[in-house]
Amino acid sequence: MACTAEASIESSQKRRLRDLAPAFFAAIYPDMLRAFHLFTTLSRGNEVANEVVAGLALLAAIFMPFAALIFVLRPPTNSIPSDYDVAKRRLAYLAVAAPTLYVFIGVVLGMTVPDLQDEIVWDTFWLGAAAWCWMASPSKAHASRPPNSGRLRIAHGIVATILIVFVSFHLSNHLVGLAGPDLHKTLMKAGRRVYRSPFIEPLLVSCFVFQALSGLSLAWRWSSVPGTDFYRAFQIASGFYLSIFILGHMNSVFVYARLYLKIDSDWAFATGAPTGLIYDSWNIRLLPHYTLGVFFVLTHIASGLRVVLLSHGTRPLVANRLWMGTAGVSAMISATIIFGMCGLRVSLPVATLVR
Ligand code: HEM
């Protein structure tokens, strides 16, 4: 009998250790970037082998959030979730946002305590998050509020439709970077006349802050619901990522570039000139951050659209296929933007118009 009890405690502890895997993935995320940097700048050994290892390390960093997402999708052990069930799910959602959180923390530390190594704060943060999850009670039923907070969801949806206009322009602006910084600058200059105007800019910033905070609140509440399907889990995870991305991105643009460095938040700033995104040990963190930021903003909008379609009677098969198609296109847009930011150039017919 005592043996069975001991075995059950041991297997429960093993399960709980496995539940901490997302925190472990997030904690070693900077090491993936470091490995990429090491192998791209290594002058010894086989050049092709170094490039392959560097490529794999970068792919591991970009796909790390999806590995964390798998942990959200594991079936719940109880129909009534305990504090521990909710904590482990939230830990996995938080790990999805690691690439953007790492940039946010890096920028804030760079401005406030430049001598403190990012990794010390990063490891302490994930150790704390893992300890918080470990200590959550597996026997206490989680007292969650239902996520059906109608008014907040409606407001979040309405503000999203306004922000889609800016996001469409902003991403198109980055897409034309493929034709070179000149076209990017010309389009940005034209756009700034609108989005930086004294009336529009405060409105835009307020809408984004509202969107980030309301998104965090919705994602937090939804994250307590057990047994969410892939689409819902993806919507929550991308919401977590975007909320942190938006707050960090605005901090980078408004506080870091404009107030702290007193430089223009232009193409050079975005692409980490003069070293660029690839060969700088700090800037490389911007690559997954931007790639996933673009991918998640587009797929998050698609997730919202899917919910609206389903509530209007669209067949799940049709809504899901539409979502899949949009996710494929989003991945292509995101990859194209990032290739352009890394120096890939194609001649776009529109580029001749600005010469
Ligand atoms: C490849 C991805 C992205 C890059 C490289 C990027 C870069 C930039 C840059 C350089 C600015 C300064 C613009 C200026 O000075 O006129 C900016 C502003 C901004 N970006 Fe992004 N961005 C990216 C994606 C996003 C996404 C996905 C969102 C929304 C979810 C977003 C939201 C904003 C906002 C709200 C501003 C402030 C606009 C203002 O100046 O009033 N960005 N971004």
Side-chain angles (χ1 to χ4, degrees):
M1 199 67 172
C3 253
T4 325
E6 264 174 37
S8 139
I9 291 171
E10 201 182 305
S11 83
S12 129
Q13 295 221 330
K14 267 192 195 152
R15 217 177 318 122
R16 292 185 73 160
L17 269 180
R18 209 174 43 209
D19 293 337
L20 299 183
F24 174 71
F25 298 157
I28 62 163
Y29 170 77
D31 300 309
M32 301 172 193
L33 299 178
R34 220 170 291 126
F36 172 80
H37 181 69
L38 179 73
F39 282 93
T40 37
T41 50
L42 206 64
S43 49
R44 295 179 270 119
N46 183 316
E47 210 174 293
V48 177
N50 289 348
E51 278 171 16
V52 169
V53 178
L56 289 175
L58 189 59
L59 282 177
I62 293 174
F63 283 95
M64 186 286 285
F66 300 98
L69 187 59
I70 293 173
F71 283 76
V72 175
L73 294 170
R74 287 166 68 201
T77 31
N78 304 309
S79 54
I80 301 170
S82 67
D83 275 355
Y84 175 72
D85 290 325
V86 175
K88 73 175 185 196
R89 214 172 307 126
R90 286 183 174 152
L91 184 72
Y93 279 125
L94 189 63
V96 172
T100 194
L101 197 58
Y102 188 52
V103 171
F104 199 171
I105 287 180
V107 172
V108 171
L109 291 181
M111 286 192 290
T112 50
V113 262
D115 293 335
L116 183 60
Q117 278 187 356
D118 295 2
E119 280 64 36
I120 296 176
V121 176
W122 188 251
D123 291 343
T124 312
F125 177 84
W126 288 106
L127 207 61
W132 162 76
C133 176
W134 184 268
M135 285 182 313
S137 165
S139 50
K140 191 166 150 241
H142 182 75
S144 59
R145 275 195 288 157
N148 252 345
S149 44
R151 267 187 293 187
L152 193 61
R153 286 173 77 186
I154 291 168
H156 190 77
I158 292 172
V159 175
T161 55
I162 301 168
L163 294 180
I164 284 172
V165 178
F166 171 79
V167 170
S168 309
F169 171 79
H170 195 50
L171 297 189
S172 309
N173 194 168
H174 297 320
L175 260 177
V176 302
L178 263 184
D182 290 346
L183 185 59
H184 183 271
K185 188 176 168 183
T186 308
L187 195 59
M188 186 178 262
K189 223 168 129 191
R192 278 176 177 178
R193 276 197 221 126
V194 180
Y195 69 75
R196 276 209 190 176
S197 66
F199 174 67
I200 301 281
E201 191 164 50
L203 197 71
L204 185 71
V205 172
S206 312
C207 284
F208 265 108
V209 171
F210 169 79
Q211 206 63 357
L213 298 181
S214 58
L216 265 184
S217 165
L218 288 169
W220 185 257
R221 286 190 226 170
W222 270 108
S223 62
S224 68
V225 179
T228 40
D229 66 7
F230 166 77
Y231 297 98
R232 180 61 83 187
F234 190 94
Q235 187 175 20
I236 300 167
S238 52
F240 265 115
Y241 187 98
L242 284 176
S243 297
I244 297 171
F245 176 89
I246 290 169
L247 298 175
H249 192 50
M250 308 259 267
N251 175 57
S252 297
V253 170
F254 291 100
V255 183
Y256 183 57
R258 298 196 202 161
L259 286 178
Y260 183 79
L261 297 177
K262 295 189 175 40
I263 57 164
D264 192 10
S265 46
D266 56 4
W267 175 261
F269 169 72
T271 57
T275 325
L277 297 182
I278 301 276
Y279 293 106
D280 186 273
S281 62
W282 197 100
N283 290 348
I284 185 59
R285 73 181 77 185
L286 294 173
L287 199 149
H289 156 82
Y290 283 142
T291 308
L292 294 166
V294 174
F295 177 68
F296 281 143
V297 78
L298 296 174
T299 45
H300 191 72
I301 294 169
S303 301
L305 188 69
R306 179 182 163 274
V307 173
V308 173
L309 287 176
L310 288 174
S311 68
H312 282 82
T314 304
R315 279 191 302 133
L317 185 74
V318 175
N320 294 348
R321 286 208 175 144
L322 207 63
W323 186 92
M324 294 279 186
T326 318
V329 174
S330 307
M332 282 192 270
I333 294 177
S334 156
T336 311
I337 290 179
I338 213 69
F339 282 137
M341 292 180 71
C342 291
L344 180 75
R345 293 289 169 264
V346 293
S347 67
L348 300 177
V350 68
T352 53
L353 299 176
V354 299
R355 283 207 192 108

